[in-house]
Amino acid sequence: MSKKEVKQLVRILIASVGFVAALLLKLEGIAEFLLYFATYLIVGGDIIWKAVRNISRGQVFDENFLMSVATIGAFCLGEYSEGIAVMLFYQVGELFQSYAVSKSRRSISELMDIRPDYANVLRNGEMIQVDPEEVQVNEIVVVKPGERIPLDGVVTDGFSAIDTSALTGESVPREVHAGEHVISGCINQTGKLTIQVNKVYSQSTVAKILELVENSSDKKSKSENFITKFARYYTPIVVFAAVILAIIPPLITGQSFGMWVERALTFLVISCPCALVISVPLSFFGGIGGASKSGVLVKGSNYLEALARTEMVVFDKTGTLTKGSFVVSEMHSDKMTDQELLELAAYAEDYSNHPIAQSIKKTFGRTIDSSRIKDIEEIAGHGVKSVIDGKVVLAGNAKLMKRERIFYKDKKLVGTVVHLAVNNEYMGYILIEDEIKEDAPHAIAALRSAGIKQTVMLTGDADAVGKKVAATLKLDKAYTELLPADKVERMEELMKEKSTHGKLAFVGDGINDAPVLARADIGIAMGGLGSDAAIEAADVVIMTDEPSKIATVMKISKKTLRIVKQNIIFALGVKGIVLVLGALGITTMWGAVFADVGVSVIAIINAIRALNVKKLNTRKTAVREQDERVLA
């Protein structure tokens, strides 16, 4: 508990002792009043002071004003015990609220812990410890085991495992070595790393994420805006209703003013909108905190609410559903073994840095003896011509085969085909494709189980390639061969297809999809770590490359919205009933205490459930596993 909460608890305990003593001692006259009044000031003095201070600032009609008027009125009527009881239980409710907010903030603070405290910088041959904000681009920092990586950069020396769980939710450490990019906020676990900084602290991943989280509360959902407006008009209305209740009925019925004033005061206590004003924002705050624990950053409660109403999810292909890296998927030759064909292609492509060449060499996986390679000629737009072991080897596309007049059978393969020929004789082909993410099929299935009506893909890839990916993942629609402007135009058409209240979410890698991310109702950036465009353009940032996290955050949003609706219905329902009973004199000040504090406490406890999201194991193997671990 915080110091503030401890002080509040101590005050409640002292007031409780005084309250019980006043009840048991059965004092009379001035002694009774002084004991009750001292107890009242201990437990309610701060509430009265807040009410006076707010009135001086022009903020008259709030819960502090209502509680002060009601309890002071109870004292004026001689109902000392009820006046203290109202304040006592109200403070208990406030303590519950403070604890609930602290619990939610602690979840967000777990993310805030990614902020590095210092950086070990090499300057003039010496290692000095400085604030990360003082480190410049291209400077060298040293990160020892157990330390947090202070800034984004590239590893120049060392090998280690780094813990990325605070940013991604991924429990398995990631191994890094020289040449790999690392991001700030991760913890170095095993070996010493030397890193060349490529971003100043203000532009680093950790700074961007912290800024995003800190500003997430600025964007209110429709439910929160409704409650804020509701409380603004509701409070003065019930105050005037209480005044009318205290004056009009006794004038009409001839009954005593004291009885109706007591009913009016009870009416005021019941009418406090604390349960709504506290629990609704707290529910959304908890939902955002729960999403962050799962490796998903939601920029505001309005986006969390919109996710619960999403009907259509539109995906970019490369980097979102596929890895964006080529892999050898098929090899065929009638004149040599697959391994011999692969070796021939690897040697032919040895000097090329093209992604296709890199994928072939990676699949070959053995050291290439460059002394076997002579006379390399790269033919732009066609392929490579080289001499290997004295033989002329051609490796390239169909245009290269036609140019060199080499006969081959076109099998209409889907993907990138590398044809090989030796001394003008066709040897076979290697098929290379953009690899679908292991998580993608589970993601699509999970979205359907979450109630998504349509899944669509927009891609600039060739029609055959795009439709093959769509068919493999069982998407509802796929639009291919689109330029960036075409994607926006197609998005406009899809926006018209959804229902009036439904929402459309676009999922992209955040680098070249900014226009479409901005146009969609909800822009979701995949693999947001280290991507400035993703954090700037998207409303929701998936901290890993797992599209299945989209279904996870949608389930969190639906759970949060369900809790919000439960609290609104419960609070208004109970208060409505007890208000009528209070006005009729059927319920006492004790009933008012339950209607106010009791309802608030129950609503707050219910709101805390939005935070209860189990830690996700991102290495899922089935949709069923994901569904079982998403919600508490």
Side-chain angles (χ1 to χ4, degrees):
M1 296 177 74
S2 66
K3 289 183 179 179
K4 180 183 176 182
E5 289 167 358
V6 171
K7 287 181 180 178
Q8 191 173 10
L9 179 60
V10 169
R11 199 165 72 246
I12 289 170
L13 292 174
I14 294 171
S16 299
V17 171
F19 182 53
V20 171
L23 291 173
L24 295 177
L25 291 173
K26 297 187 182 298
L27 299 174
E28 294 181 358
I30 191 68
E32 179 189 23
F33 173 78
L34 289 174
L35 181 55
Y36 274 119
F37 188 66
T39 304
Y40 176 78
L41 288 179
I42 291 170
V43 74
D46 62 324
I47 303 297
I48 296 171
W49 171 243
K50 286 178 187 175
V52 171
R53 190 176 57 188
N54 289 344
I55 289 171
S56 69
R57 295 172 179 173
Q59 301 171 5
V60 179
F61 301 111
D62 62 5
E63 68 270 18
N64 297 302
F65 174 78
L66 294 179
M67 297 303 298
S68 299
V69 170
T71 54
I72 291 171
F75 260 74
C76 292
L77 294 172
E79 302 291 346
Y80 305 141
S81 61
E82 290 189 353
I84 292 174
V86 170
M87 278 296 189
L88 191 60
F89 284 107
Y90 179 76
Q91 291 284 20
V92 171
E94 287 288 295
L95 183 61
F96 266 91
Q97 174 202 341
S98 179
Y99 173 75
V101 171
S102 296
K103 183 176 172 65
S104 294
R105 287 195 182 278
R106 276 196 298 273
S107 173
I108 300 294
S109 295
E110 287 178 9
L111 191 64
M112 296 303 186
D113 285 342
I114 63 178
R115 189 190 304 275
D117 297 321
Y118 59 87
N120 302 314
V121 189
L122 285 176
R123 289 177 180 169
N124 301 321
E126 293 184 17
M127 188 168 70
I128 59 173
Q129 198 172 96
V130 301
D131 190 292
E133 295 185 15
E134 297 177 19
V135 181
Q136 301 300 313
V137 173
N138 292 328
E139 283 201 283
I140 301 297
V141 297
V142 176
V143 185
K144 302 171 186 176
E147 292 183 332
R148 198 174 292 277
I149 296 174
L151 299 119
D152 297 10
V154 178
V155 177
T156 57
D157 186 41
F159 174 83
S160 183
I162 59 172
D163 178 6
T164 65
S165 59
L167 283 78
T168 67
E170 171 62 81
S171 59
V172 179
R174 171 190 158 206
E175 292 186 344
V176 294
H177 50 74
E180 289 202 56
H181 183 265
V182 290
I183 54 175
S184 50
C186 300
I187 298 173
N188 182 24
Q189 290 189 321
T190 53
K192 186 171 77 171
L193 293 175
T194 303
I195 300 168
Q196 184 175 24
V197 175
N198 59 15
K199 287 182 184 178
V200 294
Y201 179 77
S202 61
Q203 298 299 316
S204 68
T205 300
V206 68
K208 291 283 187 180
I209 291 170
L210 292 174
E211 180 186 358
L212 186 159
V213 176
E214 287 163 356
N215 294 333
S216 67
S217 60
D218 294 341
K219 298 177 180 177
K220 289 188 175 183
S221 68
K222 289 182 179 179
S223 299
E224 284 185 273
N225 285 326
F226 164 73
I227 293 303
T228 303
K229 291 176 183 176
F230 174 81
R232 190 182 304 154
Y233 296 106
Y234 167 83
T235 306
I237 287 171
V238 297
V239 170
F240 289 120
V243 173
I244 292 169
L245 186 64
I247 298 172
I248 303 300
L251 292 176
I252 296 173
T253 63
Q255 294 172 317
S256 70
F257 275 92
M259 181 184 76
W260 284 100
V261 167
E262 185 176 359
R263 290 184 184 182
L265 294 172
T266 302
F267 185 89
L268 278 178
V269 175
I270 297 166
S271 66
C272 274
C274 304
L276 292 175
V277 175
I278 295 167
S279 68
V280 172
L282 182 62
S283 299
F284 281 107
F285 194 59
I288 291 172
S292 71
K293 286 167 68 177
S294 301
V296 182
L297 294 181
V298 183
K299 288 190 177 181
S301 55
N302 53 335
Y303 302 122
L304 193 69
E305 186 174 29
L307 281 166
R309 297 192 170 99
T310 301
E311 293 181 353
M312 185 185 300
V313 179
V314 181
F315 293 92
D316 172 48
K317 181 183 81 70
T318 307
T320 303
L321 294 173
T322 63
K323 294 182 178 180
S325 59
F326 292 103
V327 63
V328 174
S329 61
E330 182 183 335
M331 292 180 283
H332 177 77
S333 176
D334 294 328
K335 299 178 180 178
M336 60 177 65
T337 65
D338 288 349
Q339 191 58 38
E340 288 171 334
L341 187 73
L342 181 62
E343 182 180 359
L344 196 65
Y347 272 78
E349 299 280 8
D350 182 43
Y351 288 90
S352 175
N353 290 319
H354 192 280
I356 292 173
Q358 296 295 325
S359 65
I360 290 173
K361 288 185 282 188
K362 183 178 179 181
T363 304
F364 178 58
R366 296 205 297 270
T367 303
I368 293 176
D369 182 3
S370 55
S371 64
R372 294 171 56 189
I373 308 168
K374 306 290 183 186
D375 300 328
I376 298 167
E377 179 188 358
E378 189 162 346
I379 305 167
H382 291 72
V384 177
K385 182 177 183 180
S386 60
V387 177
I388 302 170
D389 296 334
K391 300 174 184 177
V392 179
V393 177
L394 297 168
N397 55 26
K399 290 189 288 184
L400 180 62
M401 296 297 108
K402 290 173 182 175
R403 169 184 159 153
E404 300 295 328
R405 297 178 181 176
I406 296 170
F407 175 77
Y408 73 100
K409 291 181 180 180
D410 188 356
K411 295 188 176 182
K412 305 293 182 184
L413 298 166
V414 177
T416 302
V417 182
V418 177
H419 297 281
L420 286 111
V422 177
N423 292 335
N424 289 330
E425 183 181 1
Y426 189 73
M427 290 290 117
Y429 66 83
I430 294 174
L431 179 64
I432 297 167
E433 296 179 277
D434 187 0
E435 191 176 4
I436 293 174
K437 291 180 180 178
E438 295 88 347
D439 188 63
H442 307 315
I444 304 303
L447 285 172
R448 288 204 175 89
S449 71
I452 298 301
K453 294 179 181 178
Q454 270 197 320
T455 53
V456 183
M457 184 177 74
L458 305 180
T459 180
D461 271 358
D463 187 63
V465 174
K467 286 186 175 174
K468 181 179 179 181
V469 171
T472 303
L473 296 176
K474 299 179 181 178
L475 299 174
D476 297 311
K477 292 180 182 178
Y479 299 96
T480 60
E481 301 179 354
L482 299 174
L483 297 173
D486 299 329
K487 285 187 177 182
V488 176
E489 186 178 332
R490 185 65 67 181
M491 175 66 74
E492 297 280 357
E493 295 173 7
L494 291 170
M495 294 282 283
K496 295 174 184 176
E497 292 182 19
K498 64 184 178 64
S499 67
T500 307
H501 301 292
K503 300 293 182 182
L504 181 149
F506 177 79
V507 190
D509 61 12
I511 297 170
N512 54 9
D513 292 313
V516 198
L517 281 166
R519 179 63 190 89
D521 292 322
I522 310 154
I524 303 175
M526 291 294 304
L529 289 179
S531 171
D532 295 336
I535 293 175
E536 294 297 331
D539 308 313
V540 178
V541 181
I542 307 293
M543 302 295 287
T544 64
D545 282 329
E546 297 171 292
S548 62
K549 291 282 183 75
I550 301 163
T552 298
V553 73
M554 284 182 177
K555 289 183 179 181
I556 291 171
S557 69
K558 288 180 179 179
K559 179 179 179 180
T560 303
L561 213 59
R562 195 162 58 244
I563 289 170
V564 168
K565 289 177 180 176
Q566 288 169 357
N567 282 342
I568 291 174
I569 293 168
F570 174 70
L572 291 179
V574 172
K575 280 188 178 292
I577 294 169
V578 183
L579 275 172
V580 174
L581 295 176
L584 296 175
I586 297 172
T587 187
T588 64
M589 200 64 93
W590 293 98
V593 169
F594 170 75
D596 176 44
V597 180
V599 170
S600 295
V601 170
I602 293 170
I604 288 166
I605 291 171
N606 192 37
I608 292 174
R609 293 196 302 118
L611 186 65
N612 294 333
V613 180
K614 290 184 179 179
K615 194 75 173 179
L616 294 181
N617 174 7
T618 56
R619 296 184 179 276
K620 56 185 73 57
T621 57
V623 176
R624 179 180 56 81
E625 292 178 15
Q626 181 205 46
D627 291 342
E628 289 174 353
R629 65 176 168 260
V630 171
L631 301 178

